[in-house]
Amino acid sequence: MKSVFIIAGLATAAFALGAVPGQAGPVAYEDILNAEDNTSEWLSYSRTYHGHRYVPLTQINPTNVHRLQPVWIFPTGGENRGLEATPLVHEGVIYMSADESRVFAIDARTGVKLWSYDPEVNEEAERVYCCGSNNRGVALLDDKVFVGTMDARLVALDKDTGEVVWDTPVIDWQEGYSITGAPLAVKDMVLTGVAGGEFGIRGFVKAYDAETGEERWTAYVIPGPGEPGNETWPGDTWQHGGGSTWTTGAFDPELNLVYWQVGNAGPWNCQVRKGDNQWTAGTVALNADSGEIEWGFQYTPWDCWDYDSVSTPVLADVQINGNEVKTLLHHDKNGFFYVLDRTNGKFVYGAPIVPGINWAKGLDPATGRPIVNEEMIAESGGPEIAPIIPSLEGAIDWQPLAYNPDTGIIYFMSNTWAMGYKFWEEDKFEKPTQGEWYLGADYQQYVRPDIPVGAFVAWDVPNKKELWRLTNDQPFWAGALVTESGLVFTGDNHGYAMALDAHTGTPLWRFRTGSPIAGSPVTYELDGVQYVLFPSGMGGDLTFYYTEPKAGNLIAFALDGGPARLPVGQANLEVIPGSLPMVG
């Protein structure tokens, strides 16, 4: 005989739990400025303006991290399900974006949805998606949440309700533009870049009034006629030169400079735009009040390999050769790690990270300019050039680095693969008129049989040396997080969320989430409990090469599964004897 139990009141219980967090207070600019020691929140894309992704928490440490267990799982649903965002946390509420530029507010303790927002992106805009419908995060300022959309709008939402406060078109998506990066809130403004480097755009960063959505300034990263650097573009090639700004910048309040990374030059066939093509494949420093470019540095002048320079820069004051230098740290898609003086853009030092780099023979020790191997540059209508190392997927792509300011060690993914590149004849492709593909090239990516494709690296910045390297038979495609306790968190394409010993690289904990990790982990402490959040879900570029499940889940971990709680709805469970006939 089998008994039948009736479960009552689940919906009521879920609603009650979802309503627990009251309306959170506003996020002031000063809160973001002073976020360094705020361990209960994660208020901006990189946690702090300098981009360290370092948290001074020690409850989870190398001796007990093996006890991490899931506390809750939040599914984002949707058609694409790729999660590449960094979740934000404010007063017990998580704010996170997902594919199709959707936004969720989630109870940070229970994982219960508080509200969600769908921008209802124009379906026709899919034709200008380079690499899937990705969104890498939101921004918080005052009482609003800000998100960029795949059809090139910037939207402000009420952070307590998800209602639209304002919705501003940044530019016409039909010209090849979209927005995939997290906005950056600075002072009383919200800044955004744009994607579209493969569609003949001209990249820029725009600043908007956070209260009204009115435009404050626009900074084009490709100089026009009469502007310094325009001479590095032949003819009118600057008009469609790419230079997408599709990730998130960093900010130095003392210098009043915003640092933004710039993507590849367009078209991929570099033979039609001979010259340095400023400021593509580089970094620009912008005056925060005016948007004026104070300085620029190119990692790959005359980019002939689609070497976007887009991972968010790290700002750190570092002792180098006995002197403290205000540095900007950057690991580039081209396979080199760079240290710049962030006050003026001068090259400090660089080092090869990817084994077997062959597009360049090295870097000029004084200027950092690459010593290009001309044998690795294709000719229009000529044969495929292969193998070029690294490939256009790069050592790193958009994924954020993590830096421990106490040790001077920086942590980042650095994959190793090769490619073949073939340029079309120049009369076989035309300049885009309505955001069509503007490549003029074909490529093929190769996995190198002699070297594992995946690598995660620890680099000692002051001492200019690699400390350790963790390899993997599949690429790492996630951001990094480091804590005071000596742990580094990241994820891999097998779907493992993982914790590494920050000093040795030894894996201390792994949890298979069911889908590759392509987002960035964060950690916070509430009610005396330290949580680690992992977005899990494949999206974007990796779907071109791998067929693992896409999933789309945000997973919270804590020691031993966190504080003991009754399961949702248990308080309303009721057994009613004899209410239904017995079966069996």
Side-chain angles (χ1 to χ4, degrees):
M1 301 291 289
K2 296 180 180 178
S3 299
V4 175
F5 296 89
I6 294 179
I7 301 175
L10 259 173
T12 302
F15 176 82
L17 271 175
V20 168
Q23 290 189 341
V27 177
Y29 168 58
E30 289 73 19
D31 295 331
I32 306 175
L33 280 176
N34 301 313
E36 183 74 35
D37 297 320
N38 180 357
T39 57
S40 65
E41 300 187 306
W42 190 293
L43 296 179
S44 61
Y45 178 72
S46 298
R47 184 173 178 266
T48 58
Y49 280 131
H50 45 53
H52 291 182
R53 291 179 178 255
Y54 165 82
V55 185
L57 283 174
T58 59
Q59 182 180 107
I60 302 171
N61 58 61
T63 66
N64 63 21
V65 68
H66 64 279
R67 291 165 38 202
L68 278 184
Q69 296 291 334
V71 181
W72 50 257
I73 300 175
F74 179 84
T76 59
E79 295 183 3
N80 298 287
R81 300 190 179 184
L83 291 185
E84 296 188 356
T86 295
L88 304 189
V89 185
H90 172 54
E91 293 190 2
V93 178
I94 297 166
Y95 301 92
M96 189 185 73
S97 61
D99 60 299
E100 299 296 335
S101 317
R102 296 175 298 134
V103 181
F104 296 90
I106 306 161
D107 185 326
R109 296 174 174 86
T110 66
V112 171
K113 184 177 78 172
L114 304 178
W115 56 256
S116 62
Y117 164 74
D118 186 341
E120 298 181 356
V121 171
N122 189 313
E123 293 182 358
E124 295 181 8
E126 187 172 355
R127 72 174 174 83
V128 299
Y129 298 0
C130 158
C131 312
S133 178
N134 303 308
N135 191 283
R136 297 180 182 89
V138 299
L140 292 171
L141 187 64
D142 299 327
D143 56 356
K144 299 178 186 65
V145 183
F146 303 90
V147 64
T149 71
M150 292 300 300
D151 53 0
R153 296 140 53 201
L154 186 63
V155 182
L157 307 173
D158 184 296
K159 70 176 179 55
D160 296 321
T161 66
E163 296 296 320
V164 175
V165 179
W166 51 258
D167 185 335
T168 298
V170 173
I171 197 167
D172 186 356
W173 67 264
Q174 296 185 74
E175 298 298 322
Y177 293 87
S178 56
I179 299 177
T180 59
L184 180 68
V186 173
K187 301 183 180 181
D188 61 347
M189 301 176 292
V190 180
L191 281 57
T192 183
V194 287
E198 283 67 49
F199 297 93
I201 69 164
R202 181 189 178 200
F204 59 79
V205 178
K206 284 193 178 186
Y208 291 86
D209 185 293
E211 184 64 27
T212 66
E214 296 295 319
E215 182 180 327
R216 291 280 190 86
W217 51 255
T218 298
Y220 284 98
V221 297
I222 294 178
E227 297 175 336
N230 179 256
E231 70 280 359
T232 66
W233 293 88
D236 63 357
T237 57
W238 60 274
Q239 293 181 346
H240 303 286
S244 53
T245 49
W246 53 277
T247 50
T248 306
F251 175 51
D252 186 328
E254 180 183 352
L255 298 175
N256 198 38
L257 291 179
V258 173
Y259 304 89
W260 217 279
Q261 301 299 103
V262 184
N264 59 283
W268 286 359
N269 183 338
C270 62
Q271 300 295 352
V272 304
R273 48 171 174 80
K274 292 183 179 179
D276 278 2
N277 307 144
Q278 293 178 356
W279 291 105
T280 60
T283 298
V284 291
L286 308 173
N287 181 290
D289 297 321
S290 67
E292 180 180 355
I293 296 178
E294 301 284 348
W295 59 257
F297 182 91
Q298 287 184 285
Y299 307 99
T300 311
W302 196 40
D303 170 27
C304 294
W305 306 274
D306 186 37
Y307 286 158
D308 295 60
S309 299
V310 288
S311 63
T312 297
V314 173
L315 314 181
D317 297 344
V318 183
Q319 289 287 332
I320 298 177
N321 299 331
N323 299 311
E324 184 171 89
V325 182
K326 291 183 177 296
T327 68
L328 181 148
L329 310 177
H330 171 71
H331 181 37
D332 198 79
K333 185 187 275 192
N334 70 20
F336 290 91
F337 175 77
Y338 294 83
V339 179
L340 307 181
D341 184 326
R342 72 177 183 270
T343 68
N344 54 26
K346 300 297 183 183
F347 178 73
V348 178
Y349 80 81
I353 302 297
V354 170
I357 292 175
N358 67 1
W359 72 273
K361 301 174 183 179
L363 303 177
D364 183 295
T367 66
R369 190 178 180 91
I371 303 168
V372 173
N373 179 1
E374 295 184 0
E375 295 180 358
M376 295 294 107
I377 301 177
E379 293 293 337
S380 296
E384 179 188 74
I385 302 297
I388 301 171
I389 302 170
S391 83
L392 57 77
E393 292 294 347
I396 191 170
D397 204 69
W398 56 271
Q399 294 80 5
L401 296 71
Y403 174 77
N404 186 329
D406 296 328
T407 64
I409 301 171
I410 195 165
Y411 306 89
F412 49 82
M413 55 164 272
S414 184
N415 296 319
T416 301
W417 35 27
M419 70 174 174
Y421 226 27
K422 180 178 175 63
F423 287 169
W424 300 354
E425 295 179 14
E426 293 177 20
D427 61 356
K428 297 293 179 64
F429 64 100
E430 299 178 353
K431 293 176 184 177
T433 56
Q434 277 291 310
E436 296 93 350
W437 285 96
Y438 186 45
L439 303 180
D442 294 313
Y443 84 99
Q444 176 65 48
Q445 183 152 283
Y446 305 105
V447 174
R448 296 173 59 184
D450 56 327
I451 298 175
V453 62
F456 191 85
V457 175
W459 182 267
D460 185 329
V461 178
N463 295 305
K464 309 176 185 178
K465 65 180 182 180
E466 182 176 308
L467 292 185
W468 51 257
R469 175 179 296 248
L470 178 68
T471 61
N472 197 311
D473 65 347
Q474 291 206 22
F476 287 92
W477 207 251
L481 162 69
V482 62
T483 67
E484 183 181 333
S485 65
L487 291 173
V488 178
F489 294 91
T490 190
D492 70 6
N493 198 51
H494 288 291
Y496 282 108
M498 61 179 66
L500 313 176
D501 186 300
H503 304 290
T504 66
T506 303
L508 301 176
W509 169 82
R510 295 197 309 172
F511 183 92
R512 196 159 196 168
T513 65
S515 182
I517 309 294
S520 300
V522 306
T523 188
Y524 58 95
E525 185 176 56
L526 287 176
D527 309 321
V529 177
Q530 183 181 351
Y531 298 84
V532 182
L533 294 181
F534 269 94
S536 170
M538 172 180 278
D541 288 2
L542 286 190
T543 57
F544 301 158
Y545 313 113
Y546 302 99
T547 58
E548 282 84 349
K550 292 182 179 180
N553 294 313
L554 180 64
I555 307 175
F557 296 90
L559 294 177
D560 304 317
R565 288 195 184 91
L566 291 175
V568 172
Q570 181 161 332
N572 294 315
L573 291 177
E574 182 179 3
V575 177
I576 307 174
S579 60
L580 291 176
M582 291 296 189
V583 179

